[in-house]
Amino acid sequence: MDTFQRIRQLDWPQQALLALYLCERMLPNYQFFHQITAFGDSKPLRGALNACWDQWLSPTPGKVNYARWQDKVDEVTPSEYGHDLLGVYPAMDACTAISSLLQGMMDKESQHLVDVAKVSQASVFKFIELNDAEQVAPEQLQQHVQEHELYQYELAMQQAMIDFLASQAQVSPALVKQVRQMVKDEGISNLGLELEDLT
């Protein structure tokens, strides 16, 4: 069974927590792009993710204006036009993923949460493809990317997190804290950027 089908079989809270975890792993890619280009601002992305974490951690969660956070993320989303830097695509992908997460949280629609996993996989795929295109023959490029350790790690990590969440009886504040800590312990973005380099 493929990854996305397995995500659809999770309960909605598990899907949301998985999407939040994946977005957290993509945020450093935006921060890196911002450091290099001075374009945009990572604070709205950080704020949006914090609002989602808090929603799961609070025993009496308040009402979050997810649409307003979406607007803030949209305002700092870069465009490939005007940026010939490879890093613009992972930065755009991070914004797309966070916007999908917010939409999923807002309407309780699992497809938006599945989309986060799709964006994360595609982001890694595209990054390797663009990075290695000059060194690999065009007809071998797709296989090269699929076999690349970074892409294989992304697939394995998503499957492992699905296994972990599926084994939990419910999404509790303790579980949410544990998942949030996992991102910090892993210490790298989905493209292998080290988190401490960006603080």
Side-chain angles (χ1 to χ4, degrees), residues 114-135:
V114 176
D115 286 344
V116 173
K118 290 182 177 180
V119 171
S120 187
Q121 285 188 22
S123 187
V124 176
F125 193 98
K126 185 162 55 181
F127 178 78
I128 300 165
E129 191 175 44
L130 292 171
N131 212 32
D132 294 0
E134 291 182 7
Q135 290 88 39

Side-chain angles (χ1 to χ4, degrees), residues 4 26 29 86 89-90 93 117-133 138-155 158 190-192:
F4 310 128
M26 297 176 76
N29 302 332
L86 182 63
Y89 297 106
D93 292 337
K118 290 182 177 180
V119 171
S120 187
Q121 285 188 22
S123 187
V124 176
F125 193 98
K126 185 162 55 181
F127 178 78
I128 300 165
E129 191 175 44
L130 292 171
N131 212 32
D132 294 0
E139 64 274 10
Q140 297 172 343
L141 190 56
Q142 186 163 1
Q143 184 179 357
H144 167 78
V145 175
Q146 288 172 339
E147 294 173 353
H148 195 284
E149 62 181 356
L150 200 59
Y151 187 66
Q152 286 293 317
Y153 180 73
E154 173 70 13
L155 298 181
Q158 287 196 16
N190 66 337
L191 299 181

Side-chain angles (χ1 to χ4, degrees), residues 12-13 16-17 19-20 23 44-58 60-75 95-109 112-113:
W12 183 83
L17 188 52
L20 187 47
C23 285
L45 281 70
R46 176 71 275 157
L49 292 181
N50 285 348
C52 292
W53 285 116
D54 291 347
Q55 199 62 359
W56 291 108
L57 288 169
S58 171
T60 53
K63 190 159 175 58
V64 175
N65 189 341
Y66 294 113
R68 181 72 192 103
W69 279 114
Q70 271 188 321
D71 290 341
K72 289 183 177 184
V73 170
D74 286 346
E75 286 166 11
C95 294
T96 300
I98 292 171
S99 186
S100 293
L101 167 68
L102 293 167
Q103 191 66 43
M105 294 286 285
M106 190 164 28
D107 59 19
K108 301 284 196 291
E109 180 59 58
H112 297 299
L113 304 175

Side-chain angles (χ1 to χ4, degrees), residues 3-23 56 100-101 104-105 107-117 161-162 165-166 171 175 179:
T3 304
F4 310 128
Q5 190 57 37
R6 293 193 66 209
I7 295 171
R8 290 185 190 99
Q9 292 186 341
L10 294 173
D11 294 336
W12 183 83
Q14 295 170 327
Q15 293 173 343
L17 188 52
L18 173 66
L20 187 47
Y21 169 81
L22 294 174
C23 285
W56 291 108
S100 293
L101 167 68
M105 294 286 285
D107 59 19
K108 301 284 196 291
E109 180 59 58
S110 64
Q111 185 53 49
H112 297 299
L113 304 175
V114 176
D115 286 344
V116 173
M161 185 52 77
I162 293 167
L165 292 172
V171 172
L175 176 63
V179 170

Side-chain angles (χ1 to χ4, degrees), residues 30 33-42 75-79 83:
Y30 184 96
F33 173 77
H34 170 64
Q35 277 188 3
I36 291 175
T37 64
F39 174 88
D41 184 0
S42 60
E75 286 166 11
V76 297
T77 300
S79 161
H83 295 288

